Amino acid sequence: MNNEATPSTSRNHSIKHVTHSHDVVIVRAIPGGDDVLVDVELCYDTSDPFAIKACFLRDTPNQITWLFSRELLTAGMAAPVGEGDVRISPSADSPEMVQIDLNTPDGAAHFTACAEDFTDFLDCSQAMVPSGHEDLWIDFDFELHRHVFD
């Protein structure tokens, strides 16, 4: 993890954003078949401090990227959360595991992962940007200008 991150303020336009990634292997449950191991890269970027990016099957022609909130993953480690496309909960089968359900109009995928892997990743993201301080990393003037003139 790079510790040279600098939060943004409206007067500070010399933002040094950093990214942290963490590789994990999760298990995809295949109904009526054998479970499949899936490589996933979790990324946290201070330029989008509320979000986590998960790249499934990275570096393959079938790479799939999901973006969801860090708060959702954090809360899902302790209790079932999510009402939309992403739902996260502790595993009913094992307290050391977490369940992730991803839903699209084309289908659904159900994954189980080691909770410790996600806890380690979240700890790194919290060291970079503590919860409640995400807004310090957003250059609101830049974002407003970018959206108004794009």
Side-chain angles (χ1 to χ4, degrees), residues 13 139-150:
H13 295 288
D139 185 341
F140 289 102
D141 291 336
F142 172 78
E143 293 297 327
L144 283 170
H145 185 272
R146 184 172 68 111
H147 290 290
V148 169
F149 296 105
D150 279 352

Side-chain angles (χ1 to χ4, degrees), residues 11-23:
R11 295 180 298 267
N12 178 11
H13 295 288
S14 60
I15 303 168
K16 292 182 182 177
H17 288 291
V18 293
T19 301
H20 172 74
S21 63
H22 193 98
D23 295 328

Side-chain angles (χ1 to χ4, degrees), residues 42-120:
L42 300 173
C43 293
Y44 183 75
D45 187 335
T46 59
S47 67
D48 192 359
F50 292 100
I52 290 174
K53 182 170 65 170
C55 296
F56 293 77
L57 303 169
R58 62 192 172 104
D59 302 325
T60 72
N62 298 324
Q63 180 172 302
I64 300 168
T65 301
W66 281 77
L67 194 65
F68 52 93
S69 79
R70 178 172 70 163
E71 182 180 18
L72 183 76
L73 181 57
T74 301
M77 300 292 290
V81 295
E83 297 178 8
D85 296 340
V86 180
R87 296 174 188 214
I88 303 172
S89 64
S91 172
D93 299 330
S94 171
E96 294 87 26
M97 304 300 280
V98 64
Q99 178 77 33
I100 301 168
D101 298 314
L102 304 176
N103 298 290
T104 71
D106 296 327
H110 307 285
F111 301 94
T112 305
C114 177
E116 185 176 356
D117 288 340
F118 287 99
T119 299
D120 291 346

